[in-house]
Amino acid sequence: MSGPPDTLGHDKAPQRIAAMFDAIAPRYDLLNHVLSAGLDLRWRAKAVRSLGLTGGEKIVDLCTGTGDLALALARARPRAGRVVGVDFSGGMLRVGRAKACARGLADRIRLVRGDVTRLPLADGSADAATVAFGIRNIQRPAEAFSEVFRVLRSGGRFAMLEFSTPSVPGLRGLYLWYFTRILPWAGALISGHGSAYAYLPASVEAFPDPGRVTSDLAATGFSHIRADPLALGIVYLYSARKPPRS
């Protein structure tokens, strides 16, 4: 990606990030739901709907974590045919596999440990791709975008959820107070891992703004790019397509 260097780059070494998520894996889902007041479930549902599934698609879910989005895809109506989730945290994947088994979806969801900048999939082998709240944890997001583009078939869709900072003045101040003070304190209290929830607001602040993200998607080759704000701009749903062959 072009532009200023990522000030958190040295903190995003894959081994460090994987170890951090391994440590918080047991409480990760609880914290997601509590700290977002349950809105994370709605945001993932919107991402699934944006793909316009017709049933039976093969989907790759990057930074799948504990598999919440992979599970939502497998349970959608119409539902995906097969979901491959990729993440570099073994602890998060263990939680995700247990959830898939408990819901009777282990035969339709395959969670694998891997690097999302080198996806273990063939060119043009996926009908759609997703990522929820994970792209900012990657050292070189542009490489992940290129991998998504590579594995998507012609005409395939991409949906991405990521946090942002709202621009409405009053809301912005309240959000920053919550995000930089309350969330790290509550996250540390519940998870017992203070640095992980101090990292979260710092990583959001360092992540490029929606205009930059859409420009990077366009530079990768995607078309039909959208950046739709959710919850007054606290989260953005990015959507794009790999252009069909002419």
Side-chain angles (χ1 to χ4, degrees):
M1 284 183 169
S2 60
D6 183 350
T7 58
L8 291 181
H10 66 284
D11 288 332
K12 292 185 181 178
Q15 298 88 343
R16 177 188 179 276
I17 299 297
M20 181 180 72
F21 281 104
D22 284 346
I24 64 174
R27 300 277 184 147
Y28 183 78
D29 289 339
L30 171 64
L31 280 161
N32 271 354
H33 304 328
V34 170
L35 295 176
S36 72
L39 290 174
D40 62 311
L41 302 173
R42 295 186 184 183
W43 298 332
R44 289 187 184 88
K46 284 182 178 289
V48 172
R49 289 196 296 271
S50 76
L51 296 174
L53 300 179
T54 58
E57 288 91 344
K58 179 178 179 180
I59 303 178
V60 56
D61 183 38
L62 286 70
C63 306
T64 195
T66 61
D68 269 352
L69 186 50
L71 289 164
L73 289 161
R75 293 181 298 188
R77 293 290 185 272
R79 62 187 186 179
R82 187 182 182 195
V83 183
V84 178
V86 182
D87 200 285
F88 50 26
S89 168
M92 299 283 275
L93 292 172
R94 281 191 291 274
V95 174
R97 291 187 187 110
K99 288 160 60 176
C101 287
R103 291 161 176 76
L105 294 170
D107 60 333
R108 297 182 47 235
I109 298 175
R110 183 165 67 97
L111 302 182
V112 299
R113 190 172 186 179
D115 184 347
V116 299
T117 64
R118 293 190 293 273
L119 291 170
L121 296 169
D123 295 359
S125 60
D127 299 298
T130 56
V131 56
F133 309 112
I135 200 73
R136 72 180 186 284
N137 299 321
I138 300 171
Q139 281 183 316
R140 293 175 293 277
E143 292 183 13
F145 292 157
S146 294
E147 276 292 272
V148 169
F149 194 85
R150 178 185 68 79
V151 303
L152 281 178
R153 65 167 174 78
S154 187
R157 297 191 177 198
F158 179 38
M160 179 174 75
L161 289 165
E162 193 50 84
F163 288 111
S164 187
T165 303
S167 58
V168 179
L171 176 63
R172 179 183 175 85
L174 180 63
Y175 171 80
L176 289 173
W177 171 79
Y178 171 77
F179 212 49
T180 59
R181 295 182 180 273
I182 302 301
L183 186 146
W185 171 80
L189 181 67
I190 297 173
S191 72
H193 197 286
S195 61
Y197 287 90
Y199 165 82
L200 174 58
S203 67
V204 172
E205 184 179 2
F207 192 69
D209 61 51
R212 168 85 175 279
V213 174
T214 56
S215 294
D216 288 334
L217 288 169
T220 303
F222 286 101
S223 65
H224 297 82
I225 300 166
R226 293 174 57 99
D228 295 315
L230 308 179
L232 300 175
I234 291 172
V235 168
Y236 271 78
L237 171 58
Y238 299 92
S239 55
R241 291 187 189 182
K242 182 174 180 176
R245 292 191 182 93
S246 55

